Amino acid sequence: MSGTHSGLHDPHGLFDAGLPLDRAPHEALVTAVLAWNDPDLAPSDYEQIALQLTGHARAVAADVRRHAAALPKSDGRGALAEVVLREADGRLSAPLEGTARCVQNRARLVRALYTRLDRLTARSTG
């Protein structure tokens, strides 16, 4: 995919419809990818894994955006979510590469987005 951008075909807008995330398999994939020491995969295999993680990162980011928008303006979690979302947008706009480094960067992004989502959905104390 070097030098190309890909998009998700979603003519009915279901991508941002708040469908439940299929979290467990993606977290398992993130864990596996981040545990790699020196994988020897074909570039096309790296690209497929990166595509999977990219699509899921976009779905989690949409969920983070939705939860952050529902918070009162005085809730600092919304501001922190915006910082994470800006970084995610920048990282997701980078072209995919058929490398382990690219896949691991996408895995780190999914993990960061889930961390932010968990903080947004946790009951506030105090």
Side-chain angles (χ1 to χ4, degrees):
M1 293 210 156
S2 47
T4 63
H5 292 353
S6 59
L8 179 66
H9 180 66
D10 184 25
H12 303 292
L14 298 175
F15 190 69
D16 288 332
L19 299 174
L21 298 170
D22 197 8
R23 186 169 177 162
H26 288 92
E27 284 183 324
L29 178 59
V30 165
T31 299
V33 164
L34 293 177
W36 286 346
N37 286 326
D38 190 18
D40 187 23
L41 301 176
S44 60
D45 292 334
Y46 289 123
E47 290 170 359
Q48 286 300 308
I49 297 167
L51 276 172
Q52 179 70 28
L53 291 171
T54 298
H56 196 67
R58 291 186 192 282
V60 178
D63 219 19
V64 168
R65 214 170 253 110
R66 199 170 20 266
H67 283 282
L71 292 173
K73 296 288 182 199
S74 61
D75 192 322
R77 294 178 298 167
L80 290 172
E82 286 304 317
V83 170
V84 171
L85 289 168
R86 273 194 304 276
E87 182 178 335
D89 288 344
R91 290 168 69 181
L92 288 170
S93 68
L96 294 178
E97 300 170 7
T99 64
R101 182 176 155 260
C102 176
V103 174
Q104 288 179 321
N105 284 338
R106 296 296 163 123
R108 285 184 197 95
L109 177 59
V110 170
R111 185 175 59 187
L113 287 165
Y114 267 127
T115 298
R116 182 54 41 203
L117 181 62
D118 290 344
R119 290 184 179 149
L120 288 171
T121 57
R123 292 194 182 264
S124 62
T125 58

